Amino acid sequence: MADEMHDFNTQIINEFRANGGKVGGNFEGAPLLLLHSTGAKSGEERVHPIVYQAVGDGYAVIASKAGAPSHPAWYHNLVANPSASIEVGTETVPVQATVLEGDERSQIWERQKELMPGFADYEKATDRVIPVVLLSKA
């Protein structure tokens, strides 16, 4: 499973870079960025394609993991090492990650469910509170 997910992500990353930040398939038309984080345990750079929501001049990412019972690896990486960078379109931007709580989280989360209703399904599929992380330009 982990290898299949790695191959899937690698295909998306390659397509993203080859097409100036645009991809097809399930993510066609979705706002997508490539998150470069530092592994919480390995200390190695990790790259993950993630759907985002523009929030002011920042980027909110949702740690949904498609409603799985655990948080995605990239979320743990950002909690351990909040300094990261993202590729958006053809630009690479240094960012600082902040896990949002309360009203800040709720506003972005509710908007995400309006923009992409699949996120409401993810919420129903899990007992955990799905984290919302704001990536602010560093």
Side-chain angles (χ1 to χ4, degrees), residues 61-64 71-72 74-75 99-100 105 109 128-133:
V61 290
I62 315 290
S64 66
H71 298 321
W74 63 260
Y75 171 78
V99 178
L100 300 180
R105 178 203 170 273
W109 175 243
R128 66 186 172 92
V129 174
I130 295 174
V132 175
V133 180

Side-chain angles (χ1 to χ4, degrees), residues 6 9-24 32-37 45-49 85-92:
H6 180 266
N9 282 352
T10 299
Q11 288 175 346
I12 293 170
I13 291 165
N14 291 341
E15 186 179 352
F16 181 100
R17 289 177 174 155
N19 296 297
K22 304 221 182 314
V23 298
L32 196 69
L33 59 76
L34 300 183
L35 172 67
H36 294 251
S37 61
E45 182 183 64
R46 303 290 186 211
V47 181
H48 297 276
S85 67
I86 57 174
E87 291 177 58
V88 182
T90 58
E91 189 179 4
T92 300

Side-chain angles (χ1 to χ4, degrees), residues 59 78 81-85 93-98 133-138:
Y59 307 85
L78 288 177
N81 302 296
S83 292
S85 67
V93 180
V95 294
Q96 192 70 22
T98 307
V133 180
L134 185 63
L135 303 175
S136 303
K137 293 179 181 174

